[in-house]
Amino acid sequence: METSLRYTCNSKSLKIHAKEKLHVNSKTHLQLHGELDTGTGAPSYFCAMIRHLFPEASTGLGVGFHYDKRQKLRCHVRGKKEFPVRDDKTVTFNVKGRCDFDQDFNQRNPIGAAEFAWNIMNFKEDQDVRIKVGYEMFDKVPYMQIRENNWTLNANMKGKWNLRFDL
């Protein structure tokens, strides 16, 4: 099980996030993840999603359900396509999208982004770094991510940011 501590500037509370992947076969897995808000002591959300990878096309697709304490049950569909910029895949151009629907398939919340990712292996001894710079198309906002082994910082040009530490 993967576990992380997350702090978001909006909620101003520390959250404990857990994720488990149950492999169906070499290219498909059931992903379960949820979050506990330490400020309220209650779960923030729970999600179950079937994800399938198409490694020959550098593509992944997922479909599942998301239960949120505010929006109740929602359906999710997501996809990601990776285009290598360099032969060694240290630099990629990624196109990704997600859409979630309410129970009646009326209300939709689309999210789509295009980003460049640069993976720097052994930046320092036993330290890997990933830098992402992208543009979220529906919110029309540039964003960035810096990840170093267990630490991740996400920020966008609207002033939103979050910090994650993987346990």
Side-chain angles (χ1 to χ4, degrees), residues 53-71:
L53 303 175
F54 300 91
E56 62 283 350
S58 299
T59 303
L61 296 173
V63 73
F65 296 99
H66 180 100
Y67 181 78
D68 186 299
K69 66 181 179 182
R70 292 177 302 276
Q71 298 176 342

Side-chain angles (χ1 to χ4, degrees), residues 11-12 34 37 43 45 51 55 63 73-74 86 97 115 124-125 130 134 137 140 145 148 152:
S11 67
K12 294 191 167 99
D37 187 332
Y45 76 86
R51 298 190 71 173
V63 73
L73 186 65
R74 299 189 65 81
R86 294 180 44 152
E115 66 187 16
K124 289 189 175 181
E125 189 176 338
R130 178 175 59 211
M137 304 209 202
K140 298 181 178 154
Q145 178 188 82
E148 178 276 333
T152 305

Side-chain angles (χ1 to χ4, degrees), residues 125-141:
E125 189 176 338
D126 296 325
Q127 183 184 37
D128 299 332
V129 173
R130 178 175 59 211
I131 300 169
K132 287 184 181 181
V133 177
Y135 186 77
E136 205 293 314
M137 304 209 202
F138 291 96
D139 286 341
K140 298 181 178 154
V141 62

